[in-house]
Amino acid sequence: MKSGLEDVVAAETVLSDVDGKNGRLIVRGVSLDDLVTRSRYEDVLELLFDGFFPEDGVMQAALGATRVEVFKHVALADPALVVMPPVDGMRAMLARLGDGDDRATALRLVAAPAVFTVALLRLKDGLPPMAPDAALGHAADTLRMLTGQMPTREQIAGLDRYLVTVADHGLNASTFAARVVASTQAGLTSSVLAALSALKGPLHGGAPGPVLDMLDAAGAPANAAAWLDGALARGERLMGFGHRVYRVRDPRADALKGAVRMMAASGAIDPARLALAEAVEAAALDLLKHRKPDRPLDTNVEFYTALLLEALGFPRQAFTGVFAMGRVGGWIAHAREQALDGRLIRPMSVYVGPRVEVAA
Ligand code: COA
């Protein structure tokens, strides 16, 4: 068997292609580079859902109305949920949504991570949650509900680019979890809950918060190399580097670096923070090349995610929930694709435990 199921093919999909050798990501035939320059999150949802649900109205309006619908659950958030890490609180609230396989269930599951995460963040700060505005795009309304103010054009574009960039990515751990549950015909909510549970681990979607911890610990560009060298000597992994599939630079890192630079040009990112991140990235790549010469380790999606989400005003403990706001589109499309295939996923294991002979 292959440890970590490396290189094992476990699904056929029309949704996305992760080309690890050439550092390319294709979503339904369109390369990520093209997608990020011309699409908002709603466009990518239409692309991902095409053929999996009957068309029913314009995506932006339908999703806006669904944000308003799921907001009623926010009133049920009790203090125990509010003190949990935001991704755990959001998952508990998501579990209240009924299971189903239709477009209405899918839209509720897309709307809810954004509505619930920002409401929980405001409740944690002792602020009243903001009701959704159905007329706005998903990225704009999410930022407005977070801060209570209408975001700038650059901020909306920054969040849209992030959501588009992370919307789907082949058979990553959380998407595989979604497909396993979908294969039992349990329903979309169950699939999304399983996927979210897989996403929150630090080896998958939990890395960007620790990326900021790393920047803080490095402190200044001149200290970056020494701090990173110490971390590697202690046997630690550098968060935001390395990938199971990419053997070259993760194309999503460049898509997000572009968004970070765009926001820096509009004054929304402190130039000193960007300079520190670039120094840490350069030092990390240099050290990893020397310490792990046999394993190409390059920047992954999480590194610039950290900078972008921080600049958009999300606290670091909420980053995994924001990742889920984007990836949920991919989870749902994969879950539908798997459920329509109709075959239960049920691999084999090799028993390596003892065999006790009972005397006759
Ligand atoms: N920092 C330092 N060393 C790393 C590393 C990192 N970020 N990522 C991998 N390595 C090293 C491992 O220690 C291992 O070295 P060894 O063979 O000397 O023990 C070697 O590279 C192979 O690692 P492996 O665990 O087999 O890679 P993987 O394909 O299973 O793991 C990740 C992929 C993403 C889990 C891994 O690169 C990682 O932990 N990265 C940091 C967390 C992160 O950024 N996650 C977000 C992913 S998008």
Side-chain angles (χ1 to χ4, degrees), residues 15-33:
L15 293 164
S16 58
D17 180 28
V18 180
D19 177 350
K21 269 203 207 90
N22 299 304
R24 291 194 73 204
L25 169 62
I26 307 280
V27 178
R28 288 211 121 170
V30 186
S31 86
L32 177 69
D33 300 346

Side-chain angles (χ1 to χ4, degrees), residues 203-204 237-242 244 292 295 297 300 302:
L203 299 190
H204 188 7
R237 289 186 175 207
L238 304 183
M239 290 293 141
F241 298 92
R244 173 61 64 78
K292 307 271 175 195
R295 177 82 173 182
L297 294 168
N300 68 42
E302 307 289 24

Side-chain angles (χ1 to χ4, degrees), residues 284-328:
L285 292 177
D286 191 46
L287 286 166
L288 288 169
K289 202 155 70 190
H290 288 100
R291 281 193 174 254
K292 307 271 175 195
D294 303 331
R295 177 82 173 182
L297 294 168
D298 215 319
T299 315
N300 68 42
V301 64
E302 307 289 24
F303 192 78
Y304 284 99
T305 289
L307 234 60
L308 183 60
L309 298 189
E310 179 183 55
L312 289 172
F314 290 101
R316 63 187 75 177
Q317 73 271 23
F319 286 179
T320 311
V322 187
F323 193 162
M325 289 177 200
R327 182 57 58 84
V328 70

Side-chain angles (χ1 to χ4, degrees), residues 1-284:
M1 76 159 261
K2 290 234 179 177
S3 160
L5 300 186
E6 186 161 0
D7 295 330
V8 172
V9 174
E12 279 187 355
T13 182
V14 298
L15 293 164
S16 58
D17 180 28
V18 180
D19 177 350
K21 269 203 207 90
N22 299 304
R24 291 194 73 204
L25 169 62
I26 307 280
V27 178
R28 288 211 121 170
V30 186
S31 86
L32 177 69
D33 300 346
D34 291 338
L35 212 55
V36 289
T37 53
R38 66 178 205 210
S39 315
R40 296 180 327 140
Y41 187 55
E42 283 86 345
D43 302 322
V44 175
L45 284 177
E46 276 176 8
L47 198 64
L48 288 170
F49 288 0
D50 184 31
F52 291 119
F53 301 103
E55 290 277 326
D56 187 12
V58 178
M59 182 59 80
Q60 175 168 327
L63 188 55
T66 312
R67 281 194 304 278
V68 173
E69 184 200 326
V70 299
F71 182 70
K72 64 178 187 287
H73 289 270
V74 169
L76 305 169
D78 59 63
L81 282 188
V82 175
V83 298
M84 283 177 161
V87 68
D88 293 344
M90 184 263 278
R91 182 178 55 182
M93 291 174 73
L94 215 62
R96 301 182 66 100
L97 304 178
D99 245 320
D101 287 308
D102 56 346
R103 189 172 186 264
T105 305
L107 290 183
R108 276 195 285 277
L109 290 165
V110 174
V115 171
F116 295 166
T117 299
V118 295
L120 286 169
L121 289 175
R122 285 181 70 86
L123 287 167
K124 265 184 198 300
D125 288 346
L127 298 168
M130 299 276 301
D133 179 344
L136 292 177
H138 196 56
D141 202 23
T142 301
L143 291 170
R144 188 193 60 84
M145 288 188 285
L146 175 71
T147 64
Q149 284 170 1
M150 197 52 204
T152 64
R153 222 159 25 121
E154 287 79 14
Q155 289 169 327
I156 299 169
L159 183 57
D160 248 327
R161 180 174 279 220
Y162 173 72
L163 297 176
V164 167
T165 299
V166 302
D168 197 39
H169 199 239
L171 205 56
N172 57 87
S174 57
T175 299
F176 184 46
R179 289 191 77 121
V180 169
V181 173
S183 84
T184 73
Q185 309 283 342
L188 290 172
T189 307
S190 297
S191 283
V192 166
L193 286 167
L196 186 57
S197 302
L199 183 76
K200 71 172 249 189
L203 299 190
H204 188 7
V211 168
L212 289 188
D213 299 340
M214 186 173 74
L215 295 188
D216 292 346
N223 296 339
W227 187 87
L228 294 166
D229 201 28
L232 287 171
R234 290 191 297 275
E236 291 172 19
R237 289 186 175 207
L238 304 183
M239 290 293 141
F241 298 92
H243 197 270
R244 173 61 64 78
V245 182
Y246 292 119
R247 288 292 159 257
V248 291
R249 200 175 163 82
D250 181 340
R252 301 168 302 168
D254 285 331
L256 297 184
K257 191 169 188 175
V260 163
R261 290 219 164 114
M262 173 194 75
M263 289 188 59
S266 76
I269 289 186
D270 175 8
R273 193 73 166 151
L274 181 54
L276 173 62
E278 287 181 336
V280 166
E281 184 187 17

